[in-house]
Amino acid sequence: DADVTQTPRNRITKTGKRIMLECSQTKGHDRMYWYRQDPGLGLRLIYYSFDVKDINKGEISDGYSVSRQAQAKFSLSLESAIPNQTALYFCATSDPGQGVLYNEQFFGPGTRLTVL
Amino acid sequence: SQQGEEDPQALSIQEGENATMNCSYKTSINNLQWYRQNSGRGLVHLILIRSNEREKHSGRLRVTLDTSKKSSSLLITASRAADTASYFCLPMDSSYKLIFGSGTRLLVRP
């Protein structure tokens, strides 16, 4: 089984709809992240969480919200989807390991979201 | 936070040739990581080099780090068609606010 899973894998929705993307991990990592990737571009950080009680905005948090329901689950919501939120969304986890130097990211398979 | 900038943006080589891509960054780092992304899929961690290291090897991968020039390079030797992907560098400073650049798109022609 995959260590980091995302549901749904594909979603088509209409402008104004509320959408939730879910991420689950079995790696036991405290840190979880949500990114979006637009065609031909790198990943941009939306939100990140270093533990269940810690939520932080990333580079592009406007229009998004998150919920860290448990160590293993981190959900991303689009309260009122708009077409320019059409993108590939990735969840990732990391573990600081020994000290804070490591921080390798483990990525989920991605969710392709289309907002019409 | 800081963002790595990869160069070139695109690279096309023949199978069996070596591929070199570069990364520049702006401020001091704890470590620098390289990731690969196959089309439409999640990124996969390739290699991490710490700020006190100058060179690191992993299979056909060789990474160098020059902290005085704030740059890193990733060399893939004896490339294969399966190496076709986008490659991203991720300079890690103490902020841990991760920002990926736009990557280098590598095409290995059979």
Side-chain angles (χ1 to χ4, degrees), chain B residues 20-85:
Chain B
T20 300
M21 51 205 86
N22 304 295
C23 170
S24 60
Y25 57 92
K26 291 184 170 54
T27 63
S28 58
I29 59 172
N30 292 321
N31 67 66
L32 186 141
Q33 302 174 32
W34 284 91
Y35 288 80
R36 183 188 73 229
Q37 183 182 32
N38 292 95
S39 181
R41 307 188 64 175
L43 279 70
V44 174
H45 181 265
L46 294 176
I47 196 165
L48 177 152
I49 185 166
R50 292 185 167 82
S51 59
N52 61 353
E53 298 175 313
R54 292 297 166 257
E55 187 170 313
K56 200 161 182 179
H57 296 255
S58 176
R60 293 184 295 112
L61 305 180
R62 173 177 167 254
V63 169
T64 62
L65 179 64
D66 187 336
T67 53
S68 66
K69 294 182 179 178
K70 294 185 171 56
S71 67
S72 174
S73 67
L74 172 67
L75 169 68
I76 304 173
T77 60
S79 63
R80 305 166 182 169
D83 294 327
T84 293

Side-chain angles (χ1 to χ4, degrees), chain A residues 37 42 100-103 105, chain B residues 31 33 35 37 92 96 98 101:
Chain A
Q37 185 177 33
V100 293
L101 296 181
Y102 193 55
N103 218 38
Q105 302 268 296
Chain B
N31 67 66
Q33 302 174 32
Y35 288 80
Q37 183 182 32
M92 296 293 298
Y96 295 100
L98 310 174

